[in-house]
Amino acid sequence: MRQLKKPPAVTGDENAAIASERLRIAAILESPEGKRNPGMAQKLALGSALDAETARSILAEAPAANPYLAAMDREGPIGLSAATVDITGDPKAARMKEIEGSMKIFNAENRRAHGRAAKG
């Protein structure tokens, strides 16, 4: 018995159109502008027929969805790889640490004097 061939689900032209649409959507969603405002990028990519360049230019002018990212765009990188601030020479911080230690000792002795178990 001879099997009948099924016609292809999509033709070459349809494949090209699908691939082109996927590339357009990816160009919008994966652009820096799209990553800055992903909600709006999805609406422009999936809900409109705008070309990628037009959608990206709209996204570039729109405010960022995340205020933190907008501030980072404005201020630039903050250099987290820099050394942390050394506060060991800060007399106020040193005194606060000394008071904290003294209070722990005082509280422990006070608990023992009043018959409660010492904590922490």
Side-chain angles (χ1 to χ4, degrees):
M1 176 178 231
R2 188 171 179 204
Q3 274 189 337
L4 297 174
K5 277 191 163 183
K6 289 184 180 179
V10 283
T11 64
D13 291 338
E14 289 171 326
N15 263 345
I18 291 169
S20 174
E21 180 65 6
R22 286 183 180 169
L23 288 173
R24 180 190 75 81
I25 291 170
I28 295 169
L29 296 178
E30 294 174 8
S31 69
E33 299 88 356
K35 288 181 180 178
R36 202 181 90 215
N37 195 338
M40 187 175 193
Q42 274 194 327
K43 287 180 182 176
L44 291 174
L46 304 174
S48 73
L50 294 173
D51 64 284
E53 290 305 313
T54 304
R56 287 179 64 190
S57 68
I58 291 170
L59 287 166
E61 292 177 20
N66 184 337
Y68 171 76
L69 295 177
M72 290 302 293
D73 285 345
R74 234 183 3 262
E75 301 298 326
I78 57 173
L80 292 176
S81 61
T84 57
V85 177
D86 182 19
I87 60 167
T88 56
D90 182 10
K92 184 176 179 181
R95 180 68 178 135
M96 292 299 290
K97 188 141 182 88
E98 180 184 345
I99 291 171
E100 181 183 341
S102 297
M103 287 305 297
K104 283 183 180 179
I105 293 169
F106 173 80
N107 288 333
E109 289 174 357
N110 195 23
R111 279 190 217 100
R112 268 188 245 120
H114 288 88
R116 288 182 243 142
K119 292 181 183 176

